[in-house]
Amino acid sequence: MLRFYHSPTLSRVLLHRRFSSAATAIATDPALDSVSEPLFSYLEGFPKPDPKYAETILAIPRSTSGKTICAKERKVGRVPSILFEQEDGQHGGNKRLISVRTNQIVKLVKNLGRSFFLSRLFDLEVLSDFESGDIVEKVRVLPRQIHLHAGTDAPLNVTFIRAPSHAVLKVDVPLVFRGEDVCPGLRKGSYLNTIKRTVKYLCPADIIPPYIDVDLSELDVGQKLVMGDLKVHPALKLVKSKDEPVCKIAGARVSDQQKKSK
């Protein structure tokens, strides 16, 4: 069983080979579902999911779909949802129709924030019904999409994707900007031009980061950070070019009064 450790060069090489193989053979071997030990592990110094927000999402099967059925589900306090098999790390294959409790999803999205909810793994238990507690299926999932009502932010539907240890998934990982209080450029009166709020990575399921720290503490006026500058676990792979900008310390804004004086 391969594990990743921080220092040995050999482990890095083996990890890269294992990751490349997994990325091209996602969900091709059903036997991998029985893997109990993680294939990868988080490294010291990188963000890890906060156990405070670890929660099992409860669901029940839903036999049919359609606007009328979905409206009835929402009326009784349930969110119509779909549980997909992962195929290419982003799009689903075989699916199971389910419904989850509205109040549980509302609580999770409120506590975590929408983008952080979509980058966190959860255990999901499909019950025969909410009263009996008989478990039909228990699986680890990643929320793929959530649609919220434009006026009330009430969840309209949620899409989950299975995330067993062998899965390699595309994830929009949120960025957390730090060091603004000591950033040389900002202390000179410039401002932070935030170009990206999330960055998409191909992630082994066991080490999906809850967020990525973006260090602004050494940026001066006119300097920028690109995707390749972000410090992440070596097993994560950027989906887009490493040269795409994330943020920039732009020159000081010209006030309306200054514009008039010119």
Side-chain angles (χ1 to χ4, degrees):
M1 184 67 61
L2 176 63
R3 287 182 175 273
F4 183 81
Y5 298 94
H6 184 56
S7 55
T9 302
L10 179 59
S11 293
R12 291 181 181 270
V13 173
L14 292 174
L15 174 64
H16 175 73
R17 291 177 180 173
R18 174 66 185 87
F19 172 68
S20 299
S21 175
T24 57
I26 299 169
T28 57
D29 186 358
L32 289 173
D33 288 330
S34 62
V35 174
S36 58
E37 294 185 37
L39 299 175
F40 301 94
S41 57
Y42 288 98
L43 299 179
E44 289 299 322
F46 292 100
K48 301 177 183 179
D50 189 340
K52 174 183 176 182
Y53 299 108
E55 188 162 341
T56 298
I57 296 176
L58 302 180
I60 57 173
R62 180 166 51 92
S63 59
T64 57
S65 60
K67 290 184 178 180
T68 302
I69 295 297
C70 289
K72 288 181 179 179
E73 289 294 287
R74 297 184 190 107
K75 191 173 182 179
V76 297
R78 298 195 290 259
V79 183
S81 306
I82 297 175
L83 173 57
F84 275 117
E85 300 282 355
Q86 83 288 341
E87 285 189 343
D88 62 359
Q90 182 173 23
H91 303 93
N94 296 330
K95 66 181 181 181
R96 177 195 285 275
L97 298 177
I98 59 173
S99 291
V100 295
R101 285 173 167 160
T102 300
N103 57 3
Q104 184 175 30
I105 300 302
V106 168
K107 182 188 72 172
L108 289 170
V109 173
K110 181 179 179 181
N111 290 341
L112 291 167
R114 184 178 181 277
S115 59
F116 295 87
F117 171 73
L118 294 174
S119 65
R120 185 182 178 98
L121 295 176
F122 294 93
D123 287 329
L124 184 142
E125 288 184 0
V126 182
L127 311 174
S128 57
D129 60 71
F130 285 129
E131 286 70 37
S132 73
D134 294 333
I135 299 176
V136 176
E137 181 181 14
K138 184 172 183 178
V139 62
R140 187 174 65 172
V141 299
L142 175 74
R144 168 62 62 207
Q145 292 180 329
I146 181 168
H147 293 149
L148 304 177
H149 188 281
T152 64
D153 281 341
L156 300 177
N157 54 69
V158 186
T159 299
F160 299 98
I161 195 163
R162 296 172 188 270
S165 283
H166 67 273
V168 182
L169 305 174
K170 286 181 182 176
V171 185
D172 284 307
V173 184
L175 303 180
V176 174
F177 296 88
R178 304 189 189 278
E180 294 173 270
D181 55 334
V182 296
C183 173
L186 296 181
R187 291 172 68 91
K188 293 176 182 177
S190 297
Y191 70 97
L192 176 63
N193 179 14
T194 304
I195 302 168
K196 297 285 185 183
R197 294 286 182 182
T198 63
V199 173
K200 191 184 293 292
Y201 283 90
L202 194 60
C203 307
D206 289 331
I207 53 169
I208 294 174
Y211 59 87
I212 294 170
D213 281 319
V214 183
D215 185 8
L216 306 173
S217 62
E218 296 183 3
L219 290 186
D220 212 333
V221 180
Q223 293 184 323
K224 66 180 179 180
L225 291 176
V226 299
M227 291 185 182
D229 294 325
L230 300 177
K231 292 179 172 58
V232 298
H233 193 296
L236 271 59
K237 182 179 178 182
L238 271 170
V239 173
K240 294 187 177 181
S241 169
K242 66 179 182 179
D243 297 321
E244 286 201 25
V246 170
C247 65
K248 181 178 180 180
I249 305 299
R253 289 189 176 94
V254 178
S255 67
D256 292 337
Q257 189 64 37
Q258 287 175 313
K259 290 179 182 178
K260 290 179 182 179
S261 65
K262 290 181 179 179

